[in-house]
Amino acid sequence: IQLVNDILQLSSLDNASETSSMPEMEVVDLLDVVKECVERQKLNARHAYITLTYLGESAPVLGSRALLDELCQNLCDNAIRYNRPGGHVELRCGVGGDGCPYFEVEDNGIGIPQDSQTRVFERFYRVDKSRSKATGGTGLGLAIVKHIALLHDAKIDLQSQVGTGTTIRVTFPKG
């Protein structure tokens, strides 16, 4: 069911980009998105023995609340899923020195090898197939994140080191 839902979500995002039929946009505070995401993912993190926290300040963006929630949930879920018991995940948001709002997820999980970092946003790409099967997931979460970021004219920056963890930052345009 999750695979079908993710495929439908990607198809909808593809159609929105191709036909310029953007979802309804409103002013959304990323801090509200982050707080709700942490609240929803608390149990998931606890079951994985992961500490989940957030830090931030008000960061308003023009966007689709539903899609921004999806982006946050997918990134948070991955950070928990590809971590180790005893690990931590921190969600952050704010406005950078350049005036651009941002959302960021940092974990101290297994990390992503350098040669896979450019491919993790591809549909169905999995860095570690055996771990993915054990932890679930459809292989579409980061592809969905990429498409949601594109619809919001946002840039994604991924920093990762194997054995140390991963930080993914989504930076939105000013104003």
Side-chain angles (χ1 to χ4, degrees):
I1 290 172
Q2 186 60 47
L3 178 60
V4 170
N5 287 337
D6 283 354
I7 289 171
L8 289 172
Q9 172 82 355
L10 263 175
S11 177
S12 172
L13 291 168
D14 281 342
N15 287 338
S17 345
E18 291 169 7
T19 64
S20 299
S21 63
M22 293 291 290
E24 189 174 320
M25 298 293 195
E26 60 184 304
V27 175
V28 178
D29 192 338
L30 293 176
L31 183 57
D32 293 335
V33 173
V34 165
K35 285 179 183 177
E36 288 178 24
C37 179
V38 167
E39 195 57 38
R40 277 192 235 119
Q41 291 282 352
K42 224 187 322 187
L43 189 59
N44 187 17
R46 194 174 311 137
H47 284 153
Y49 303 101
I50 304 296
T51 302
L52 177 61
T53 58
Y54 74 90
L55 181 65
E57 60 185 41
S58 180
V61 298
L62 186 62
S64 162
R65 176 61 190 249
L67 291 179
L68 293 171
D69 283 341
E70 178 84 13
L71 179 140
C72 189
Q73 291 293 325
N74 284 350
L75 288 174
C76 185
D77 185 59
N78 268 15
I80 293 168
R81 180 175 288 148
Y82 296 102
N83 212 315
R84 302 178 194 90
H88 76 266
V89 172
E90 184 171 79
L91 280 63
R92 293 187 286 266
C93 68
V95 178
D98 58 0
C100 293
Y102 69 89
F103 162 72
E104 188 171 79
V105 177
E106 180 180 327
D107 68 64
N108 65 340
I110 62 172
I112 303 166
Q114 187 70 37
D115 61 343
S116 293
Q117 290 180 17
T118 57
R119 298 201 57 206
V120 293
F121 294 97
E122 294 176 11
R123 296 169 191 207
F124 300 111
Y125 182 78
R126 294 175 185 258
V127 174
D128 181 351
K129 279 84 175 147
S130 63
R131 183 174 176 95
S132 296
K133 287 177 186 168
T135 60
T138 63
L140 294 172
L142 290 179
I144 290 171
V145 165
K146 178 180 86 173
H147 283 281
I148 292 171
L150 286 171
L151 282 174
H152 289 85
D153 294 323
K155 294 184 205 129
I156 300 175
D157 179 55
L158 180 144
Q159 302 292 319
S160 188
Q161 192 169 10
V162 173
T164 303
T166 301
T167 301
I168 297 179
R169 183 179 186 119
V170 182
T171 305
F172 296 85
K174 279 189 231 184

mmCIF file of all heavy atoms in Angstrom, residues 82-132:
data_model
loop_
_atom_site.group_PDB
_atom_site.id
_atom_site.type_symbol
_atom_site.label_atom_id
_atom_site.label_comp_id
_atom_site.label_asym_id
_atom_site.label_seq_id
_atom_site.Cartn_x
_atom_site.Cartn_y
_atom_site.Cartn_z
ATOM 1 N N TYR A 82 17.873 4.927 9.010
ATOM 2 C CA TYR A 82 19.273 4.611 8.704
ATOM 3 C C TYR A 82 20.210 5.108 9.798
ATOM 4 O O TYR A 82 21.273 5.648 9.540
ATOM 5 C CB TYR A 82 19.652 5.178 7.330
ATOM 6 C CG TYR A 82 18.851 4.503 6.242
ATOM 7 C CD1 TYR A 82 17.762 5.134 5.658
ATOM 8 C CD2 TYR A 82 19.140 3.197 5.863
ATOM 9 C CE1 TYR A 82 17.002 4.500 4.696
ATOM 10 C CE2 TYR A 82 18.375 2.550 4.911
ATOM 11 C CZ TYR A 82 17.313 3.201 4.328
ATOM 12 O OH TYR A 82 16.545 2.555 3.390
ATOM 13 N N ASN A 83 19.784 4.885 11.022
ATOM 14 C CA ASN A 83 20.575 5.244 12.189
ATOM 15 C C ASN A 83 20.854 3.974 12.980
ATOM 16 O O ASN A 83 20.492 2.879 12.550
ATOM 17 C CB ASN A 83 19.799 6.277 13.032
ATOM 18 C CG ASN A 83 20.710 7.240 13.751
ATOM 19 O OD1 ASN A 83 21.708 6.835 14.341
ATOM 20 N ND2 ASN A 83 20.365 8.510 13.702
ATOM 21 N N ARG A 84 21.461 4.136 14.116
ATOM 22 C CA ARG A 84 21.761 2.997 14.987
ATOM 23 C C ARG A 84 21.056 3.208 16.325
ATOM 24 O O ARG A 84 20.859 4.346 16.732
ATOM 25 C CB ARG A 84 23.255 2.926 15.266
ATOM 26 C CG ARG A 84 24.118 2.810 14.079
ATOM 27 C CD ARG A 84 25.592 2.795 14.541
ATOM 28 N NE ARG A 84 26.482 3.012 13.434
ATOM 29 C CZ ARG A 84 26.901 4.202 13.027
ATOM 30 N NH1 ARG A 84 26.524 5.285 13.634
ATOM 31 N NH2 ARG A 84 27.724 4.301 12.007
ATOM 32 N N PRO A 85 20.744 2.123 17.033
ATOM 33 C CA PRO A 85 20.192 2.298 18.378
ATOM 34 C C PRO A 85 21.135 3.183 19.207
ATOM 35 O O PRO A 85 22.356 3.025 19.159
ATOM 36 C CB PRO A 85 20.137 0.874 18.935
ATOM 37 C CG PRO A 85 20.022 0.008 17.713
ATOM 38 C CD PRO A 85 20.840 0.704 16.655
ATOM 39 N N GLY A 86 20.546 4.123 19.910
ATOM 40 C CA GLY A 86 21.346 5.062 20.696
ATOM 41 C C GLY A 86 21.707 6.320 19.923
ATOM 42 O O GLY A 86 22.306 7.242 20.469
ATOM 43 N N GLY A 87 21.334 6.375 18.651
ATOM 44 C CA GLY A 87 21.667 7.518 17.809
ATOM 45 C C GLY A 87 20.744 8.698 18.061
ATOM 46 O O GLY A 87 19.826 8.643 18.875
ATOM 47 N N HIS A 88 21.022 9.776 17.337
ATOM 48 C CA HIS A 88 20.162 10.958 17.463
ATOM 49 C C HIS A 88 19.830 11.522 16.084
ATOM 50 O O HIS A 88 20.581 11.353 15.132
ATOM 51 C CB HIS A 88 20.815 12.044 18.332
ATOM 52 C CG HIS A 88 21.896 12.797 17.631
ATOM 53 N ND1 HIS A 88 23.217 12.451 17.729
ATOM 54 C CD2 HIS A 88 21.856 13.881 16.806
ATOM 55 C CE1 HIS A 88 23.948 13.282 16.995
ATOM 56 N NE2 HIS A 88 23.145 14.161 16.424
ATOM 57 N N VAL A 89 18.681 12.179 16.032
ATOM 58 C CA VAL A 89 18.237 12.897 14.847
ATOM 59 C C VAL A 89 17.780 14.267 15.329
ATOM 60 O O VAL A 89 17.024 14.364 16.302
ATOM 61 C CB VAL A 89 17.057 12.173 14.150
ATOM 62 C CG1 VAL A 89 16.482 13.027 13.026
ATOM 63 C CG2 VAL A 89 17.495 10.809 13.623
ATOM 64 N N GLU A 90 18.269 15.308 14.669
ATOM 65 C CA GLU A 90 17.838 16.659 15.016
ATOM 66 C C GLU A 90 17.306 17.357 13.778
ATOM 67 O O GLU A 90 17.958 17.373 12.740
ATOM 68 C CB GLU A 90 18.980 17.473 15.624
ATOM 69 C CG GLU A 90 18.510 18.855 16.079
ATOM 70 C CD GLU A 90 19.552 19.606 16.866
ATOM 71 O OE1 GLU A 90 20.474 20.174 16.237
ATOM 72 O OE2 GLU A 90 19.446 19.617 18.107
ATOM 73 N N LEU A 91 16.110 17.924 13.911
ATOM 74 C CA LEU A 91 15.515 18.730 12.853
ATOM 75 C C LEU A 91 15.739 20.190 13.219
ATOM 76 O O LEU A 91 15.576 20.562 14.388
ATOM 77 C CB LEU A 91 14.011 18.466 12.739
ATOM 78 C CG LEU A 91 13.591 17.203 11.983
ATOM 79 C CD1 LEU A 91 14.082 15.954 12.651
ATOM 80 C CD2 LEU A 91 12.088 17.160 11.843
ATOM 81 N N ARG A 92 16.129 20.988 12.235
ATOM 82 C CA ARG A 92 16.369 22.412 12.468
ATOM 83 C C ARG A 92 15.723 23.225 11.361
ATOM 84 O O ARG A 92 15.640 22.775 10.221
ATOM 85 C CB ARG A 92 17.870 22.709 12.492
ATOM 86 C CG ARG A 92 18.591 22.099 13.669
ATOM 87 C CD ARG A 92 20.041 22.563 13.732
ATOM 88 N NE ARG A 92 20.869 21.949 12.718
ATOM 89 C CZ ARG A 92 21.599 20.858 12.894
ATOM 90 N NH1 ARG A 92 21.579 20.226 14.056
ATOM 91 N NH2 ARG A 92 22.339 20.387 11.915
ATOM 92 N N CYS A 93 15.333 24.439 11.711
ATOM 93 C CA CYS A 93 14.846 25.364 10.702
ATOM 94 C C CYS A 93 15.139 26.779 11.164
ATOM 95 O O CYS A 93 15.367 27.030 12.347
ATOM 96 C CB CYS A 93 13.360 25.175 10.431
ATOM 97 S SG CYS A 93 12.303 25.641 11.801
ATOM 98 N N GLY A 94 15.141 27.680 10.212
ATOM 99 C CA GLY A 94 15.394 29.079 10.523
ATOM 100 C C GLY A 94 15.591 29.854 9.238
ATOM 101 O O GLY A 94 15.243 29.393 8.152
ATOM 102 N N VAL A 95 16.165 31.027 9.389
ATOM 103 C CA VAL A 95 16.482 31.866 8.247
ATOM 104 C C VAL A 95 17.986 32.078 8.268
ATOM 105 O O VAL A 95 18.540 32.534 9.272
ATOM 106 C CB VAL A 95 15.733 33.216 8.317
ATOM 107 C CG1 VAL A 95 16.110 34.098 7.145
ATOM 108 C CG2 VAL A 95 14.224 32.976 8.349
ATOM 109 N N GLY A 96 18.664 31.716 7.167
ATOM 110 C CA GLY A 96 20.113 31.828 7.090
ATOM 111 C C GLY A 96 20.561 33.283 6.984
ATOM 112 O O GLY A 96 19.752 34.192 6.789
ATOM 113 N N GLY A 97 21.850 33.483 7.081
ATOM 114 C CA GLY A 97 22.441 34.809 6.960
ATOM 115 C C GLY A 97 22.126 35.472 5.630
ATOM 116 O O GLY A 97 22.141 36.702 5.518
ATOM 117 N N ASP A 98 21.821 34.672 4.620
ATOM 118 C CA ASP A 98 21.480 35.205 3.292
ATOM 119 C C ASP A 98 20.001 35.575 3.181
ATOM 120 O O ASP A 98 19.532 36.001 2.134
ATOM 121 C CB ASP A 98 21.839 34.193 2.211
ATOM 122 C CG ASP A 98 21.141 32.841 2.398
ATOM 123 O OD1 ASP A 98 20.369 32.680 3.375
ATOM 124 O OD2 ASP A 98 21.373 31.950 1.564
ATOM 125 N N GLY A 99 19.244 35.397 4.279
ATOM 126 C CA GLY A 99 17.824 35.732 4.275
ATOM 127 C C GLY A 99 16.927 34.621 3.754
ATOM 128 O O GLY A 99 15.722 34.792 3.657
ATOM 129 N N CYS A 100 17.509 33.473 3.424
ATOM 130 C CA CYS A 100 16.728 32.357 2.886
ATOM 131 C C CYS A 100 16.302 31.399 4.002
ATOM 132 O O CYS A 100 17.146 30.948 4.795
ATOM 133 C CB CYS A 100 17.543 31.582 1.858
ATOM 134 S SG CYS A 100 17.898 32.535 0.370
ATOM 135 N N PRO A 101 15.011 31.066 4.058
ATOM 136 C CA PRO A 101 14.549 30.083 5.040
ATOM 137 C C PRO A 101 15.122 28.702 4.694
ATOM 138 O O PRO A 101 15.333 28.385 3.521
ATOM 139 C CB PRO A 101 13.034 30.078 4.880
ATOM 140 C CG PRO A 101 12.701 31.246 4.032
ATOM 141 C CD PRO A 101 13.922 31.596 3.254
ATOM 142 N N TYR A 102 15.361 27.909 5.730
ATOM 143 C CA TYR A 102 15.890 26.562 5.496
ATOM 144 C C TYR A 102 15.274 25.577 6.477
ATOM 145 O O TYR A 102 14.765 25.937 7.532
ATOM 146 C CB TYR A 102 17.416 26.530 5.615
ATOM 147 C CG TYR A 102 17.900 26.739 7.031
ATOM 148 C CD1 TYR A 102 18.074 25.662 7.904
ATOM 149 C CD2 TYR A 102 18.167 28.019 7.512
ATOM 150 C CE1 TYR A 102 18.487 25.859 9.210
ATOM 151 C CE2 TYR A 102 18.583 28.219 8.811
ATOM 152 C CZ TYR A 102 18.736 27.137 9.658
ATOM 153 O OH TYR A 102 19.132 27.333 10.957
ATOM 154 N N PHE A 103 15.344 24.315 6.080
ATOM 155 C CA PHE A 103 14.958 23.190 6.915
ATOM 156 C C PHE A 103 16.094 22.183 6.810
ATOM 157 O O PHE A 103 16.631 21.968 5.724
ATOM 158 C CB PHE A 103 13.645 22.587 6.394
ATOM 159 C CG PHE A 103 13.409 21.197 6.900
ATOM 160 C CD1 PHE A 103 13.067 20.982 8.220
ATOM 161 C CD2 PHE A 103 13.566 20.111 6.067
ATOM 162 C CE1 PHE A 103 12.885 19.692 8.695
ATOM 163 C CE2 PHE A 103 13.379 18.828 6.533
ATOM 164 C CZ PHE A 103 13.030 18.629 7.856
ATOM 165 N N GLU A 104 16.466 21.577 7.926
ATOM 166 C CA GLU A 104 17.631 20.689 7.938
ATOM 167 C C GLU A 104 17.368 19.495 8.852
ATOM 168 O O GLU A 104 16.747 19.637 9.903
ATOM 169 C CB GLU A 104 18.810 21.503 8.468
ATOM 170 C CG GLU A 104 20.147 20.852 8.394
ATOM 171 C CD GLU A 104 21.238 21.868 8.736
ATOM 172 O OE1 GLU A 104 21.435 22.144 9.933
ATOM 173 O OE2 GLU A 104 21.859 22.382 7.796
ATOM 174 N N VAL A 105 17.855 18.334 8.429
ATOM 175 C CA VAL A 105 17.801 17.125 9.251
ATOM 176 C C VAL A 105 19.223 16.601 9.373
ATOM 177 O O VAL A 105 19.909 16.397 8.366
ATOM 178 C CB VAL A 105 16.908 16.032 8.612
ATOM 179 C CG1 VAL A 105 16.927 14.771 9.455
ATOM 180 C CG2 VAL A 105 15.495 16.521 8.436
ATOM 181 N N GLU A 106 19.654 16.394 10.609
ATOM 182 C CA GLU A 106 21.002 15.858 10.861
ATOM 183 C C GLU A 106 20.879 14.598 11.702
ATOM 184 O O GLU A 106 20.116 14.552 12.664
ATOM 185 C CB GLU A 106 21.847 16.885 11.613
ATOM 186 C CG GLU A 106 23.244 16.381 11.909
ATOM 187 C CD GLU A 106 24.078 17.403 12.665
ATOM 188 O OE1 GLU A 106 23.889 18.606 12.445
ATOM 189 O OE2 GLU A 106 24.913 16.972 13.480
ATOM 190 N N ASP A 107 21.629 13.577 11.321
ATOM 191 C CA ASP A 107 21.657 12.347 12.113
ATOM 192 C C ASP A 107 23.096 11.888 12.286
ATOM 193 O O ASP A 107 23.998 12.372 11.603
ATOM 194 C CB ASP A 107 20.812 11.243 11.454
ATOM 195 C CG ASP A 107 21.398 10.735 10.143
ATOM 196 O OD1 ASP A 107 22.503 10.159 10.152
ATOM 197 O OD2 ASP A 107 20.738 10.902 9.102
ATOM 198 N N ASN A 108 23.306 10.983 13.216
ATOM 199 C CA ASN A 108 24.631 10.387 13.390
ATOM 200 C C ASN A 108 24.573 8.906 13.041
ATOM 201 O O ASN A 108 25.170 8.068 13.686
ATOM 202 C CB ASN A 108 25.159 10.614 14.811
ATOM 203 C CG ASN A 108 24.337 9.900 15.872
ATOM 204 O OD1 ASN A 108 23.185 9.542 15.650
ATOM 205 N ND2 ASN A 108 24.930 9.688 17.035
ATOM 206 N N GLY A 109 23.848 8.618 11.971
ATOM 207 C CA GLY A 109 23.628 7.245 11.533
ATOM 208 C C GLY A 109 24.753 6.677 10.695
ATOM 209 O O GLY A 109 25.906 7.092 10.794
ATOM 210 N N ILE A 110 24.382 5.762 9.800
ATOM 211 C CA ILE A 110 25.375 4.993 9.055
ATOM 212 C C ILE A 110 26.057 5.798 7.949
ATOM 213 O O ILE A 110 27.116 5.428 7.484
ATOM 214 C CB ILE A 110 24.748 3.714 8.453
ATOM 215 C CG1 ILE A 110 23.647 4.044 7.452
ATOM 216 C CG2 ILE A 110 24.235 2.813 9.566
ATOM 217 C CD1 ILE A 110 23.108 2.844 6.685
ATOM 218 N N GLY A 111 25.450 6.903 7.532
ATOM 219 C CA GLY A 111 26.049 7.724 6.478
ATOM 220 C C GLY A 111 25.831 7.133 5.092
ATOM 221 O O GLY A 111 25.341 6.019 4.935
ATOM 222 N N ILE A 112 26.205 7.922 4.108
ATOM 223 C CA ILE A 112 26.034 7.535 2.700
ATOM 224 C C ILE A 112 27.391 7.602 2.019
ATOM 225 O O ILE A 112 28.053 8.638 2.068
ATOM 226 C CB ILE A 112 25.049 8.494 1.985
ATOM 227 C CG1 ILE A 112 23.699 8.508 2.707
ATOM 228 C CG2 ILE A 112 24.882 8.116 0.519
ATOM 229 C CD1 ILE A 112 22.789 9.642 2.285
ATOM 230 N N PRO A 113 27.814 6.519 1.372
ATOM 231 C CA PRO A 113 29.110 6.551 0.677
ATOM 232 C C PRO A 113 29.139 7.660 -0.386
ATOM 233 O O PRO A 113 28.117 7.971 -1.006
ATOM 234 C CB PRO A 113 29.204 5.176 0.005
ATOM 235 C CG PRO A 113 28.223 4.315 0.721
ATOM 236 C CD PRO A 113 27.148 5.225 1.233
ATOM 237 N N GLN A 114 30.293 8.239 -0.585
ATOM 238 C CA GLN A 114 30.474 9.353 -1.526
ATOM 239 C C GLN A 114 29.929 9.022 -2.914
ATOM 240 O O GLN A 114 29.248 9.839 -3.526
ATOM 241 C CB GLN A 114 31.973 9.709 -1.613
ATOM 242 C CG GLN A 114 32.272 10.945 -2.416
ATOM 243 C CD GLN A 114 31.803 12.219 -1.730
ATOM 244 O OE1 GLN A 114 31.888 12.343 -0.532
ATOM 245 N NE2 GLN A 114 31.302 13.156 -2.502
ATOM 246 N N ASP A 115 30.184 7.808 -3.402
ATOM 247 C CA ASP A 115 29.774 7.449 -4.759
ATOM 248 C C ASP A 115 28.263 7.259 -4.908
ATOM 249 O O ASP A 115 27.749 7.188 -6.021
ATOM 250 C CB ASP A 115 30.514 6.198 -5.250
ATOM 251 C CG ASP A 115 30.245 4.963 -4.405
ATOM 252 O OD1 ASP A 115 29.763 5.106 -3.259
ATOM 253 O OD2 ASP A 115 30.520 3.857 -4.880
ATOM 254 N N SER A 116 27.527 7.210 -3.785
ATOM 255 C CA SER A 116 26.068 7.064 -3.846
ATOM 256 C C SER A 116 25.328 8.367 -3.573
ATOM 257 O O SER A 116 24.122 8.440 -3.777
ATOM 258 C CB SER A 116 25.606 6.020 -2.822
ATOM 259 O OG SER A 116 26.069 4.738 -3.165
ATOM 260 N N GLN A 117 26.041 9.385 -3.123
ATOM 261 C CA GLN A 117 25.372 10.610 -2.687
ATOM 262 C C GLN A 117 24.599 11.316 -3.790
ATOM 263 O O GLN A 117 23.556 11.905 -3.522
ATOM 264 C CB GLN A 117 26.374 11.560 -2.024
ATOM 265 C CG GLN A 117 26.839 11.034 -0.681
ATOM 266 C CD GLN A 117 27.828 11.940 0.013
ATOM 267 O OE1 GLN A 117 27.965 13.115 -0.325
ATOM 268 N NE2 GLN A 117 28.533 11.387 0.989
ATOM 269 N N THR A 118 25.060 11.259 -5.014
ATOM 270 C CA THR A 118 24.330 11.916 -6.097
ATOM 271 C C THR A 118 23.137 11.087 -6.564
ATOM 272 O O THR A 118 22.256 11.605 -7.238
ATOM 273 C CB THR A 118 25.245 12.186 -7.316
ATOM 274 O OG1 THR A 118 25.804 10.956 -7.743
ATOM 275 C CG2 THR A 118 26.337 13.179 -6.961
ATOM 276 N N ARG A 119 23.088 9.818 -6.181
ATOM 277 C CA ARG A 119 22.027 8.932 -6.676
ATOM 278 C C ARG A 119 20.882 8.717 -5.694
ATOM 279 O O ARG A 119 19.847 8.188 -6.080
ATOM 280 C CB ARG A 119 22.641 7.571 -7.027
ATOM 281 C CG ARG A 119 23.680 7.706 -8.132
ATOM 282 C CD ARG A 119 23.952 6.429 -8.858
ATOM 283 N NE ARG A 119 22.747 5.865 -9.423
ATOM 284 C CZ ARG A 119 22.605 4.565 -9.655
ATOM 285 N NH1 ARG A 119 23.578 3.731 -9.394
ATOM 286 N NH2 ARG A 119 21.495 4.107 -10.179
ATOM 287 N N VAL A 120 21.057 9.109 -4.430
ATOM 288 C CA VAL A 120 20.031 8.772 -3.430
ATOM 289 C C VAL A 120 18.678 9.424 -3.689
ATOM 290 O O VAL A 120 17.670 8.971 -3.154
ATOM 291 C CB VAL A 120 20.485 9.079 -1.978
ATOM 292 C CG1 VAL A 120 21.630 8.177 -1.568
ATOM 293 C CG2 VAL A 120 20.806 10.535 -1.794
ATOM 294 N N PHE A 121 18.630 10.463 -4.529
ATOM 295 C CA PHE A 121 17.356 11.114 -4.845
ATOM 296 C C PHE A 121 16.691 10.521 -6.076
ATOM 297 O O PHE A 121 15.649 10.986 -6.508
ATOM 298 C CB PHE A 121 17.568 12.625 -5.009
ATOM 299 C CG PHE A 121 17.984 13.285 -3.716
ATOM 300 C CD1 PHE A 121 19.318 13.541 -3.455
ATOM 301 C CD2 PHE A 121 17.042 13.621 -2.760
ATOM 302 C CE1 PHE A 121 19.705 14.133 -2.262
ATOM 303 C CE2 PHE A 121 17.419 14.219 -1.561
ATOM 304 C CZ PHE A 121 18.761 14.466 -1.315
ATOM 305 N N GLU A 122 17.278 9.453 -6.635
ATOM 306 C CA GLU A 122 16.686 8.751 -7.770
ATOM 307 C C GLU A 122 15.604 7.799 -7.270
ATOM 308 O O GLU A 122 15.703 7.251 -6.167
ATOM 309 C CB GLU A 122 17.744 7.923 -8.512
ATOM 310 C CG GLU A 122 18.803 8.746 -9.192
ATOM 311 C CD GLU A 122 19.886 7.871 -9.821
ATOM 312 O OE1 GLU A 122 19.706 6.624 -9.903
ATOM 313 O OE2 GLU A 122 20.915 8.430 -10.208
ATOM 314 N N ARG A 123 14.619 7.570 -8.112
ATOM 315 C CA ARG A 123 13.554 6.641 -7.754
ATOM 316 C C ARG A 123 14.096 5.222 -7.600
ATOM 317 O O ARG A 123 14.849 4.745 -8.442
ATOM 318 C CB ARG A 123 12.476 6.646 -8.838
ATOM 319 C CG ARG A 123 11.809 7.972 -8.930
ATOM 320 C CD ARG A 123 10.945 8.095 -10.145
ATOM 321 N NE ARG A 123 10.560 9.492 -10.285
ATOM 322 C CZ ARG A 123 9.474 9.908 -10.871
ATOM 323 N NH1 ARG A 123 8.657 9.052 -11.429
ATOM 324 N NH2 ARG A 123 9.199 11.180 -10.926
ATOM 325 N N PHE A 124 13.705 4.583 -6.524
ATOM 326 C CA PHE A 124 14.033 3.193 -6.198
ATOM 327 C C PHE A 124 15.507 2.939 -5.924
ATOM 328 O O PHE A 124 15.908 1.801 -5.728
ATOM 329 C CB PHE A 124 13.533 2.220 -7.289
ATOM 330 C CG PHE A 124 12.059 2.271 -7.488
ATOM 331 C CD1 PHE A 124 11.525 2.797 -8.652
ATOM 332 C CD2 PHE A 124 11.190 1.798 -6.515
ATOM 333 C CE1 PHE A 124 10.151 2.857 -8.845
ATOM 334 C CE2 PHE A 124 9.817 1.854 -6.703
ATOM 335 C CZ PHE A 124 9.295 2.377 -7.870
ATOM 336 N N TYR A 125 16.345 3.972 -5.904
ATOM 337 C CA TYR A 125 17.762 3.741 -5.612
ATOM 338 C C TYR A 125 17.921 3.477 -4.123
ATOM 339 O O TYR A 125 17.382 4.202 -3.292
ATOM 340 C CB TYR A 125 18.629 4.936 -6.021
ATOM 341 C CG TYR A 125 20.095 4.670 -5.773
ATOM 342 C CD1 TYR A 125 20.820 3.881 -6.651
ATOM 343 C CD2 TYR A 125 20.737 5.170 -4.648
ATOM 344 C CE1 TYR A 125 22.155 3.596 -6.431
ATOM 345 C CE2 TYR A 125 22.070 4.890 -4.414
ATOM 346 C CZ TYR A 125 22.769 4.108 -5.300
ATOM 347 O OH TYR A 125 24.093 3.820 -5.060
ATOM 348 N N ARG A 126 18.678 2.447 -3.804
ATOM 349 C CA ARG A 126 18.964 2.116 -2.411
ATOM 350 C C ARG A 126 20.462 1.905 -2.273
ATOM 351 O O ARG A 126 21.059 1.175 -3.056
ATOM 352 C CB ARG A 126 18.227 0.857 -1.980
ATOM 353 C CG ARG A 126 16.722 1.027 -1.967
ATOM 354 C CD ARG A 126 16.083 -0.319 -1.657
ATOM 355 N NE ARG A 126 14.652 -0.275 -1.747
ATOM 356 C CZ ARG A 126 13.849 -0.209 -0.695
ATOM 357 N NH1 ARG A 126 14.339 -0.148 0.504
ATOM 358 N NH2 ARG A 126 12.543 -0.201 -0.868
ATOM 359 N N VAL A 127 21.034 2.519 -1.274
ATOM 360 C CA VAL A 127 22.473 2.390 -1.043
ATOM 361 C C VAL A 127 22.775 0.967 -0.595
ATOM 362 O O VAL A 127 23.655 0.309 -1.121
ATOM 363 C CB VAL A 127 22.962 3.404 0.013
ATOM 364 C CG1 VAL A 127 24.424 3.161 0.363
ATOM 365 C CG2 VAL A 127 22.759 4.825 -0.491
ATOM 366 N N ASP A 128 22.040 0.487 0.398
ATOM 367 C CA ASP A 128 22.275 -0.833 0.972
ATOM 368 C C ASP A 128 20.986 -1.637 0.858
ATOM 369 O O ASP A 128 20.076 -1.479 1.660
ATOM 370 C CB ASP A 128 22.705 -0.681 2.433
ATOM 371 C CG ASP A 128 22.992 -2.004 3.126
ATOM 372 O OD1 ASP A 128 22.700 -3.069 2.544
ATOM 373 O OD2 ASP A 128 23.507 -1.972 4.257
ATOM 374 N N LYS A 129 20.905 -2.463 -0.168
ATOM 375 C CA LYS A 129 19.666 -3.204 -0.439
ATOM 376 C C LYS A 129 19.260 -4.099 0.729
ATOM 377 O O LYS A 129 18.104 -4.190 1.078
ATOM 378 C CB LYS A 129 19.807 -4.070 -1.700
ATOM 379 C CG LYS A 129 19.602 -3.285 -2.978
ATOM 380 C CD LYS A 129 20.860 -2.597 -3.398
ATOM 381 C CE LYS A 129 20.730 -1.913 -4.732
ATOM 382 N NZ LYS A 129 21.495 -0.709 -4.844
ATOM 383 N N SER A 130 20.215 -4.745 1.373
ATOM 384 C CA SER A 130 19.875 -5.669 2.455
ATOM 385 C C SER A 130 19.312 -4.912 3.651
ATOM 386 O O SER A 130 18.353 -5.338 4.282
ATOM 387 C CB SER A 130 21.097 -6.485 2.880
ATOM 388 O OG SER A 130 22.093 -5.621 3.405
ATOM 389 N N ARG A 131 19.882 -3.761 3.974
ATOM 390 C CA ARG A 131 19.378 -2.977 5.108
ATOM 391 C C ARG A 131 18.000 -2.413 4.790
ATOM 392 O O ARG A 131 17.127 -2.361 5.649
ATOM 393 C CB ARG A 131 20.351 -1.854 5.447
ATOM 394 C CG ARG A 131 19.920 -1.061 6.668
ATOM 395 C CD ARG A 131 20.982 -0.054 7.066
ATOM 396 N NE ARG A 131 20.529 0.751 8.162
ATOM 397 C CZ ARG A 131 20.780 0.517 9.437
ATOM 398 N NH1 ARG A 131 21.508 -0.531 9.776
ATOM 399 N NH2 ARG A 131 20.329 1.306 10.376
ATOM 400 N N SER A 132 17.778 -1.999 3.544
ATOM 401 C CA SER A 132 16.488 -1.429 3.151
ATOM 402 C C SER A 132 15.375 -2.448 3.309
ATOM 403 O O SER A 132 14.284 -2.119 3.753
ATOM 404 C CB SER A 132 16.538 -0.952 1.705
ATOM 405 O OG SER A 132 17.462 0.088 1.571
#
